[in-house]
Amino acid sequence: MQITGGEMVTSRPPCGRHAGVVKRLRRQLEGMALPDGLDVYEVSSIALPEDPDDYVTPDLIVLPMEREDDDDWLASPEDTAFAVEVVSPSEKSRGIRDKADWYAVARVPLLLVIDPRNGTWALHSRPDNGAYQDVLLGKFGEAVPLPEPFGADVGTGDFPVYGQAACPDPTGDQ
């Protein structure tokens, strides 16, 4: 569950291919030389500055290692170096745009949106005035060039694409 823009957003747990993308990306990030004091986390939520009732839980997030000793359930967006969202099969384009805008308002410096529905990715950077100023688009198979302080490429060639019956809703309510 997340609360973005005052609206509660619930979703079922991700399907296997969604989880596979997250696993592959996490392994790559953990294998690279991350900037000093930073590490990769899952299941960490961040709130808008000044509004802890408006928060998201990205699929992956790069935060200071001190996060491991923090009892607060919300990480500070100012501490977030990089966030990753993997698009679910049923997500709508507007929801994806709204979520990217949320991260820009929170001033998260880098947001990588990975879309296994069509095998594409978008790297958003330079948040300013509630929008990302730069968006680099690519397809699976093309490396994502992470700017400094990361200064490394992330490979996408082994990211799975959703099948035709991608993550069916067991209730039939998609």
Side-chain angles (χ1 to χ4, degrees):
M1 178 181 78
Q2 306 179 103
I3 297 178
T4 56
E7 293 186 33
M8 183 170 39
V9 179
T10 60
S11 58
R12 63 183 179 266
C15 67
R17 290 187 181 168
H18 182 123
V21 170
V22 173
K23 177 190 80 170
R24 286 172 173 89
L25 182 57
R26 181 178 183 141
R27 285 184 176 165
Q28 285 187 62
L29 292 172
E30 290 175 336
M32 69 174 53
L34 291 175
D36 282 342
L38 296 178
D39 209 346
V40 183
Y41 297 91
E42 293 181 53
V43 196
S44 286
S45 299
I46 58 174
L48 277 178
E50 312 298 322
D51 189 356
D53 291 329
D54 200 334
Y55 63 92
V56 297
T57 306
D59 290 296
L60 287 176
I61 188 168
V62 176
L63 294 165
M65 295 170 92
E66 291 83 28
R67 177 72 182 145
E68 296 172 22
D69 298 320
D70 192 348
D71 287 330
D72 193 353
W73 71 279
L74 285 171
S76 171
E78 294 87 13
D79 290 340
T80 304
F82 178 37
V84 177
E85 288 282 354
V86 178
V87 176
S88 296
S90 60
E91 274 189 86
K92 306 291 183 228
S93 295
R94 178 181 174 177
I96 296 164
R97 283 191 308 273
D98 289 350
K99 198 176 283 188
D101 290 345
W102 187 99
Y103 282 98
V105 168
R107 302 197 54 76
V108 171
L110 286 177
L111 170 65
L112 177 59
V113 178
I114 300 170
D115 193 343
R117 297 175 308 173
N118 55 21
T120 61
W121 54 262
L123 181 64
H124 302 262
S125 60
R126 294 190 332 107
D128 189 37
N129 290 326
Y132 282 104
Q133 303 305 302
D134 294 329
V135 180
L136 179 64
L137 304 175
K139 299 180 282 193
F140 287 9
E142 299 171 349
V144 180
L146 298 179
E148 294 299 332
F150 298 94
D153 289 348
V154 172
T156 63
D158 65 346
F159 286 1
V161 176
Y162 296 137
Q164 286 195 302
C167 309
D169 185 342
T171 66
D173 297 336
Q174 273 203 28

